[in-house]
Amino acid sequence: MRRTGASATELLISELVTNAYLHTAGPASLRLTALGDGRLRVGVWDSHPHIPAPFGRPPEDRVPDVPANADGGRGLRLVQEFATTWGGWPFGDDVLGRRGAGKLLWFEVGGERCSSATSVSPRSPLRATS
């Protein structure tokens, strides 16, 4: 069983929330869900529809290393190092008919690492599966 410490989980949450703040012009939301088998699911919704790596890739498809002199690009790689599983998807139109209602990025810590990204229904993106 893969265990992730609280400080690593805090780092991942901070990374997703900071990216939502820095790279979108609209609102954002954070949701934490404690699952029955010791897993924690973290979801961050923001108003931009782009799904960054690694959230749009299966866990075995590694994000390449970032050059040492690059200003950014390291943070989301941490998801691959510390999360058990992850995923993301863009939302289409919102309930008011506006285009591009943003995206949801999520990851889980605790439990066993999956061999491929877990699929969660977009109708209920953060439902508890215990």
Side-chain angles (χ1 to χ4, degrees), residues 2 11 17 20 24 27 37 47-48 66 73 102-103 107-108 120 125 128:
R2 181 180 172 100
L11 176 65
V17 170
T24 67
D37 59 355
S47 59
H48 195 281
V66 177
K103 67 176 169 297
F107 67 86
E108 290 181 5
V120 179

Side-chain angles (χ1 to χ4, degrees), residues 49-66:
H50 174 71
I51 305 294
F55 293 95
R57 300 178 177 183
E60 63 273 2
D61 188 6
R62 307 296 292 174
V63 173
D65 287 331
V66 177

Side-chain angles (χ1 to χ4, degrees), residues 89 106 116-121 127:
W89 57 86
W106 62 271
S116 63
T118 301
S119 174
V120 179
S121 169
R127 74 176 189 275

